[in-house]
Amino acid sequence: MSPYAVDGANPSHGTGATGGNLGVMYSTEIAGDWAPDQIWGWYAARRFVNDAIEALEQAGVALAPLVADTDWQAKGVRKLHETIESMSVEGAAGESSLRMRLWELEAAR
């Protein structure tokens, strides 16, 4: 079987959301019972999920210092701190959910 390069992550090396292994070679074994549009859909879905995970990771990194910086006792800043902290928790939950979708995509192969 001839491998071909696909943008996305290497399934044997994590999600690849950081883009560190774009252009990894893939085997055509996935093509066994799938139509070409199904294969393309699987790779596209995987790439979109990876992109979303990367965006949530970046948002989490950006929010972390804001949570610490707004940990004051003034009412307005306390509310801002709680809002930023809530956004950080929601982002982490969304990232976790997307990682489950990625796992499901991997299992569908």
Side-chain angles (χ1 to χ4, degrees), residues 34-48 105:
W34 289 16
D37 60 331
Q38 290 173 312
I39 294 168
W40 181 89
W42 183 87
Y43 280 113
R46 190 170 195 289
R47 175 137 188 195
F48 291 139
L105 282 170

Side-chain angles (χ1 to χ4, degrees), residues 14-94:
T15 65
T18 59
N21 41 358
L22 295 178
V24 172
M25 301 302 279
Y26 283 93
S27 168
T28 56
E29 291 176 15
I30 193 173
D33 298 327
W34 289 16
D37 60 331
Q38 290 173 312
I39 294 168
W40 181 89
W42 183 87
Y43 280 113
R46 190 170 195 289
R47 175 137 188 195
F48 291 139
V49 170
N50 276 330
D51 290 348
I53 288 171
E54 184 175 355
L56 286 171
E57 286 174 343
Q58 290 174 355
V61 168
L63 288 172
L66 293 176
V67 170
D69 289 348
T70 60
D71 192 18
W72 298 352
Q73 296 305 311
K75 286 183 183 180
V77 177
R78 188 175 329 133
K79 182 63 178 169
L80 175 62
H81 171 78
E82 291 168 359
T83 301
I84 293 171
E85 193 170 41
S86 173
M87 290 171 61
S88 182
V89 169
E90 288 175 19

